[in-house]
Amino acid sequence: MDVRKLTPNDIGKWVQCSDYPNQRGRIKSWNRLFIFVVYDCRGEWEDYRNYTASATRPEDLDFI
C-alpha cells in the first residue's frame, strides 16, 4: 500500500496484514512511515476510533 495515495476517504477502510492473514482491522490514521490500524476493539467496530491503533508498515497491508 502506498501511503502517498491515501486520502481522508480511506480512514475506516478495512485492511489485512499480509504477514498475518487473520490480522484484519480498520485504518485510523497514517504518517509518512506507518499506517495506524485498529486490529482489536472487542467487536465494537462502529466505535473503532476510540481504540488504540498499531503502527503497521504500509507494504504489509492490503485493502480487503
Side-chain angles (χ1 to χ4, degrees), residues 3-37:
V3 171
R4 297 169 297 172
K5 293 183 179 179
L6 293 175
T7 70
N9 289 331
D10 292 316
I11 294 172
K13 287 192 178 178
W14 289 94
V15 291
Q16 179 173 319
C17 187
S18 57
D19 289 342
Y20 304 96
N22 293 328
Q23 192 80 329
R24 297 178 179 166
R26 294 179 78 176
I27 295 175
K28 187 172 181 179
S29 63
W30 60 86
N31 62 27
R32 63 183 187 86
L33 298 176
F34 296 104
I35 298 175
F36 297 91
V37 179

